[in-house]
Amino acid sequence: MLEIAIKGSKKYWLWIALLLAVMGAGAIAYADQFLNGLVITGMSRDVSWGFYIANFTFLVGVAAGGVMVVIPYYLHDYERFHRITILGEFLAVACLVMCLLFIVVDLGQPIRMLNVLLYPTPHSMLFWDMIVLNGYLFLNIVVGWKVLEAERNQIEPVWWTKPLVYLSIPFAIGIHTVTAYLYCGLPGRGYWLTAILAPRFLASAFAAGPAFLIILCYIIKKFTKFDPGWEAMQTLSKIVCYAIIANLFFFACEVFVVYYSGIPGHLSHMQYLLFGLHGHNMMVPWMWSALILMGLGAIFLLIPKLRNNRALLPVTCAMIFFGAWIDKALGMIAGGFVPSPLHHVNEYAPTLQEGIIAMGVYGAGFFVLTILYKLATTVKEEVRG
Amino acid sequence: MMIKSRRSFLKVAGIAAIGMGAAPVMNLAASDSHGSTQPKTAKNEEALHAKRWGMVIDTSKLTEEVVEAVKKACHKSHNVPDFNIEPDAEKYSGNRPARDGQEIKWIWDEHFHYAFPDKEDEFLAEKFHDLPFLVTCNHCKNPPCVQACPTQATFKREDGIVLMDYHRCIGCRFCMAACPYGSRNFNFTDPRPFIEETDPDFPTRTKGVVEKCNLCAERLAKGEQPHCVEASEGAIVVGDLEDPDSEIRSLLAEHYTIRRKQSLGTEPSVYYIV
């Protein structure tokens, strides 16, 4: 089936070349980091996780969001998602590849990363995160591939894909729950120490993942002969709508608890994000933009006339996607580490090189996504035509 | 020359190979008359032992001079780098200085409201305001860093000392996120060029690993007191928290002491007499 990927239009090859260039730039920047250490990043003793882990956290969410097409189709026989289920699964694969790459580029000693397997440590949440991420990646590759292959041959998928699909549902919930547990089980980090972190992560994932899928559907419709179906996109947009409202509601719950209780160790982080602390306010414009983007996006999706507007829908989805990215990637890291456990306020901003390495990882993810989507759309074109 | 050196190499290699093959047999032959061939580990009779090591810091005895002496003694003997120094250009080339905040410190001074942020007091006595409080790893009874580490590179010894295995650490920095005391450091760059005078008695670290205070485990094993204790002019006492007759227990019995962020349940082993 892979032979499909090496037959394409000029535009396809131009896009592939662009991605390879971005990956190349990232690889060169990473080679320097590999040799000289994470000194090239903007991270510090106080803010010891940065842009890499921020993007990792967000992309775990986008990967988990894929389950929002799997559940309706496989559990509720929602036929309209028949065409896009594979897109959700392949999006998850690309996102998980990026997640794993972000973890690797964040390690101080990447050569030793197999130590996590050599010395399995069940009391570390990172151990479980590794298991669920790789498990979910494996499940999505196998299921996506087998189902697509069956579709191409116009036969029923082999029987054992069904149990794997059902297994992938708890795994999708699992990857984002365990990723939240990385944060919310730590003492002394007031912004993260909240039981609603995992639900909040899931809500934002179920908004950002499908929102991105809708944008991808637009792109597919424009560049291929495959039509994912307007009705499926409409259903997806309703899912995004309720998920983003849940996310905003959970955030409001956090704000209430923090400000009404007034406990300094919890309050100061939220204060830093929303209003600035002791004159440090780098995150303030970002956080308010995130809230406005997500809030407006929710309103646009709630009103049927605006939701049904074909021109507005991708814009709304982009707003929600970037709003969630700021909130969960940048805000989660900055809010957790600033102020420090000793209440020093040291801010963090990624360096250019750190950004290039991150772009390289995104390039690799889009490369995987492009290849997989090329396979999926071509097969679907073949079968229909 | 080339040929000769190759020949001699082959000769040596051949002899070595024979030797390697013969060694187990020789050992077997030898084991009867000369005991085990396994390497022996010997316990130092003078080593200091404790059920649970702890530290008491008498803040009334902390002056700026004492604090400086303690920091210097600890950092110098543990090869803690100082990124403010200019590396030896002949020995090291192309190394990059660390950014602001990428520093490494094992024991350092903080003002009261940073060392004890949850004990912040509007009407704190004037004498505490500017007093330098020494802070370091608390060697917690329930260390969150050990719980977080995915490779057991940081672990708690039976005697309560929390240690780092610099060779197993993958540099994920999860332990740094987990530590509520900001006691952990990450080697963002190769520390070696920034060590003014390397002490051969203690290993240096590489880039990409986490490090922190080890309560001078290497000195306790030799029957010596930690460096900070020696340099502190009596301000720091280290001993067995679980021994009711130990010096630190009598200090704890005589004085009111506080610990950092006690409400978190990590059970720090460092006590402050205020």
Side-chain angles (χ1 to χ4, degrees):
Chain A
M1 205 153 54
L2 260 178
E3 78 279 357
I4 296 169
I6 53 166
K7 278 179 266 172
S9 63
K10 216 175 201 172
K11 268 185 195 155
Y12 171 71
W13 284 109
L14 212 66
W15 172 242
I16 292 284
L18 178 74
L19 289 177
L20 286 173
V22 172
M23 284 159 74
I28 292 167
Y30 179 69
D32 180 55
Q33 179 191 295
F34 183 82
L35 294 173
N36 293 294
L38 287 158
V39 67
I40 60 105
T41 68
M43 287 184 262
S44 64
R45 199 175 183 278
D46 278 352
V47 186
S48 49
W49 279 342
F51 203 55
Y52 302 145
I53 293 298
N55 280 298
F56 155 78
T57 309
F58 178 71
L59 288 169
V60 172
V62 182
V67 83
M68 283 290 105
V69 291
V70 171
I71 289 179
Y73 179 62
Y74 282 99
L75 288 190
H76 305 297
D77 294 318
Y78 186 69
E79 251 324 292
R80 277 176 193 157
F81 277 179
H82 172 71
R83 294 185 188 181
I84 58 166
T85 303
I86 188 88
L87 300 181
E89 284 162 348
F90 280 170
L91 175 61
V93 171
C95 287
L96 287 165
V97 167
M98 289 190 268
C99 289
L100 296 174
L101 282 174
F102 270 122
I103 292 275
V104 173
V105 298
D106 186 65
L107 292 181
Q109 287 285 343
I111 289 173
R112 294 183 192 159
M113 74 181 158
L114 287 180
N115 275 1
V116 180
L117 288 173
L118 291 171
Y119 309 102
T121 310
H123 54 66
S124 171
M125 281 302 124
L126 215 57
F127 169 76
W128 294 106
D129 211 30
M130 177 209 62
I131 291 191
V132 286
L133 286 175
N134 284 294
Y136 190 52
L137 175 63
F138 173 77
L139 286 172
N140 275 297
I141 290 177
V142 171
V143 169
W145 194 270
K146 275 287 159 196
V147 170
L148 189 64
E149 208 173 47
E151 191 170 339
R152 194 183 195 197
N153 299 330
Q154 310 224 4
I155 52 168
E156 282 290 304
V158 59
W159 66 270
W160 47 258
T161 54
K162 264 279 167 67
L164 290 189
V165 168
Y166 296 137
L167 185 63
S168 78
I169 293 169
F171 260 83
I173 312 289
I175 57 169
H176 222 27
T177 303
V178 179
T179 305
Y181 286 180
L182 289 182
Y183 294 96
C184 66
L186 306 178
R189 302 269 177 198
Y191 188 63
W192 297 339
L193 195 70
T194 161
I196 210 168
L197 202 70
R200 202 179 139 197
F201 270 24
L202 284 168
S204 106
F206 294 159
F212 193 57
L213 205 53
I214 291 173
I215 297 172
L216 287 172
C217 286
Y218 269 87
I219 295 172
I220 286 169
K221 206 169 165 234
K222 188 164 191 293
F223 288 99
T224 73
K225 280 181 233 124
F226 171 62
D227 182 5
W230 174 244
E231 275 166 343
M233 283 153 78
Q234 273 291 292
T235 311
L236 267 184
S237 66
K238 283 174 199 157
I239 291 172
V240 175
C241 177
Y242 292 115
I244 199 69
I245 289 171
N247 188 41
L248 284 165
F249 171 66
F250 291 160
F251 186 72
C253 292
E254 294 275 32
V255 171
F256 170 78
V257 169
V258 161
Y259 279 96
Y260 198 80
S261 73
I263 300 170
H266 292 259
L267 187 95
S268 54
H269 300 274
M270 195 64 89
Q271 189 76 11
Y272 167 69
L273 287 178
L274 294 180
F275 305 105
L277 195 65
H278 307 317
H280 298 273
N281 45 24
M282 197 194 281
M283 280 305 292
V284 175
W286 287 95
M287 279 310 278
W288 284 105
S289 314
L291 290 173
I292 291 166
L293 285 171
M294 291 190 290
L296 268 184
I299 292 168
F300 287 178
L301 289 181
L302 260 183
I303 302 168
K305 216 174 166 183
L306 297 176
R307 185 178 63 234
N308 292 329
N309 187 323
R310 283 174 196 246
L312 185 62
L313 184 59
V315 180
T316 308
C317 286
M319 283 165 56
I320 287 173
F321 186 78
F322 284 112
W325 180 74
I326 297 169
D327 169 37
K328 203 156 86 188
L330 307 186
M332 202 46 65
I333 293 292
F337 284 109
V338 186
S340 80
L342 279 70
H343 286 208
H344 291 292
V345 185
N346 289 317
E347 296 191 280
Y348 159 80
T351 62
L352 179 65
Q353 193 176 345
E354 208 175 350
I356 294 171
I357 294 173
M359 283 313 294
V361 173
Y362 272 104
F366 275 92
F367 183 80
V368 171
L369 189 71
T370 305
I371 303 276
L372 291 177
Y373 271 31
K374 169 91 170 130
L375 300 184
T377 55
T378 311
V379 165
K380 286 184 187 280
E381 279 169 11
E382 275 175 14
V383 171
R384 281 167 57 88
Chain B
M1 189 63 192
M2 186 71 192
I3 292 166
K4 194 182 162 204
S5 69
R6 208 172 76 173
R7 270 185 55 177
S8 54
F9 169 77
L10 286 173
K11 212 154 71 184
V12 172
I15 292 166
I18 292 168
M20 277 200 286
V25 185
M26 299 286 282
N27 288 342
L28 200 67
S31 60
D32 278 349
S33 49
H34 299 289
S36 166
T37 58
Q38 293 301 310
K40 261 193 201 160
T41 50
K43 275 212 174 112
N44 182 1
E45 298 299 323
E46 272 127 45
L48 298 174
H49 297 283
K51 264 187 149 162
R52 185 178 155 207
W53 285 105
M55 183 188 277
V56 171
I57 299 178
D58 188 343
T59 54
S60 67
K61 291 181 183 161
L62 287 180
T63 61
E64 264 171 41
E65 293 76 44
V66 169
V67 166
E68 280 310 310
V70 166
K71 286 196 305 192
K72 204 175 159 201
C74 168
H75 289 174
K76 205 167 162 337
S77 54
H78 289 120
N79 293 320
V80 172
D82 174 6
F83 294 113
N84 294 316
I85 67 163
E86 198 61 44
D88 184 349
E90 247 175 70
K91 224 167 136 193
Y92 303 102
S93 60
N95 54 71
R96 257 170 264 188
R99 267 165 225 282
D100 270 354
Q102 293 183 338
E103 67 193 318
I104 292 180
K105 45 193 185 186
W106 283 26
I107 188 164
W108 72 101
D109 52 310
E110 293 279 355
H111 285 307
F112 183 86
H113 50 280
Y114 292 123
F116 299 94
D118 54 350
K119 293 187 174 70
E120 217 163 10
D121 189 344
E122 216 181 322
F123 308 110
L124 183 72
E126 195 65 43
K127 62 173 179 174
F128 292 126
H129 248 293
D130 303 314
L131 196 67
F133 278 78
L134 274 171
V135 292
T136 183
C137 170
N138 284 294
H139 297 278
C140 304
K141 191 176 177 185
N142 308 315
C145 53
V146 170
Q147 183 171 283
C149 179
T151 64
Q152 298 154 45
T154 189
F155 58 95
K156 196 181 79 165
R157 245 171 35 171
E158 257 175 43
D159 60 6
I161 299 181
V162 177
L163 284 180
M164 274 298 305
D165 182 338
Y166 308 123
H167 300 276
R168 194 186 280 191
C169 176
I170 58 172
C172 68
R173 311 186 297 293
F174 198 8
C175 57
M176 295 179 78
C179 177
Y181 306 100
S183 294
R184 295 182 153 261
N185 312 268
F186 180 68
N187 284 281
F188 284 94
T189 186
D190 180 8
R192 284 165 190 156
F194 301 96
I195 302 166
E196 202 147 35
E197 204 179 325
T198 306
D199 188 333
D201 285 341
F202 200 80
T204 56
R205 271 75 64 192
T206 58
K207 68 168 192 288
V209 298
V210 167
E211 64 175 72
K212 62 165 199 78
C213 155
N214 66 346
L215 209 73
C216 282
E218 81 283 4
R219 280 175 72 85
L220 296 172
K222 288 190 288 187
E224 293 166 337
Q225 286 290 321
H227 286 293
C228 56
V229 174
E230 281 189 355
S232 71
E233 295 174 22
I236 304 178
V237 179
V238 162
D240 190 353
L241 282 172
E242 290 195 17
D243 175 6
D245 301 323
S246 68
E247 190 190 350
I248 67 166
R249 277 291 289 275
S250 69
L251 281 171
L252 293 180
E254 283 162 27
H255 300 90
Y256 176 71
T257 53
I258 56 173
R259 287 186 292 169
R260 296 174 68 198
K261 299 194 179 182
Q262 217 170 330
S263 64
L264 298 183
T266 60
E267 298 290 336
S269 301
V270 178
Y271 292 76
Y272 295 85
I273 300 174
V274 288

